[in-house]
Amino acid sequence: MSVLRADRKAELSSEARRAVLRIDPSERPRLIVMGTGEMSPHLDYLLMTTFTLDVLTYVYYLAVTDRSVYVLRGSRTTGEAKEVMAVVLLEQAGSLVEKVRHGRTWNTLWLRLPQRKRRVRMNVSLHSRPELDRFLARL
């Protein structure tokens, strides 16, 4: 991973932590899992139309605190966590993950959110795999 990507990952993780603290200042985010959503990263590579894909896809964050799991969604262009999709108590977070597919470069996580009928697809890159593994182990 290049220095630029590592800096960007730290910046986005900090943004997700700040978003959780804006929602509930008493929470302490312990783990942030980042990913993109809805479109396969392999299709993203094949199409090579970054402007269109930036508009059509989102950045997702799973922020694990001592009490809850926050599912946040933000703009792919800015990375800012703008929307709270769900807040699930840590004891009930096992029902949040419907399916996981591990790959060599991309991992796919399907989330079943309480207030949505359709599942949400979250693509987690190889660089965020350690955080994904820690998240799954926590459940």
Side-chain angles (χ1 to χ4, degrees), residues 10-94:
E11 176 186 328
L12 293 173
S13 291
S14 294
E15 168 58 35
R17 283 183 168 79
R18 285 190 299 270
V20 169
L21 292 174
R22 282 192 300 269
I23 296 164
D24 186 353
S26 67
E27 289 282 15
R28 293 292 167 246
R30 304 290 183 195
L31 174 65
I32 304 293
V33 180
M34 294 182 299
T36 60
E38 304 306 323
M39 187 173 288
S40 167
H42 302 292
L43 184 59
D44 182 356
Y45 175 77
L46 289 175
L47 292 177
M48 296 282 191
T49 54
T50 55
F51 175 73
T52 304
L53 294 174
D54 285 347
V55 172
L56 295 176
T57 58
Y58 296 98
V59 175
Y60 289 100
Y61 303 97
L62 297 175
V64 180
T65 68
D66 294 330
R67 300 179 296 200
S68 306
V69 175
Y70 288 76
V71 181
L72 308 167
R73 182 168 76 173
S75 165
R76 186 169 176 180
T77 54
T78 64
E80 182 181 352
K82 295 181 179 179
E83 178 186 354
V84 178
M85 297 184 69
V87 178
V88 180
L89 292 175
L90 200 55
E91 298 82 28
Q92 300 168 352

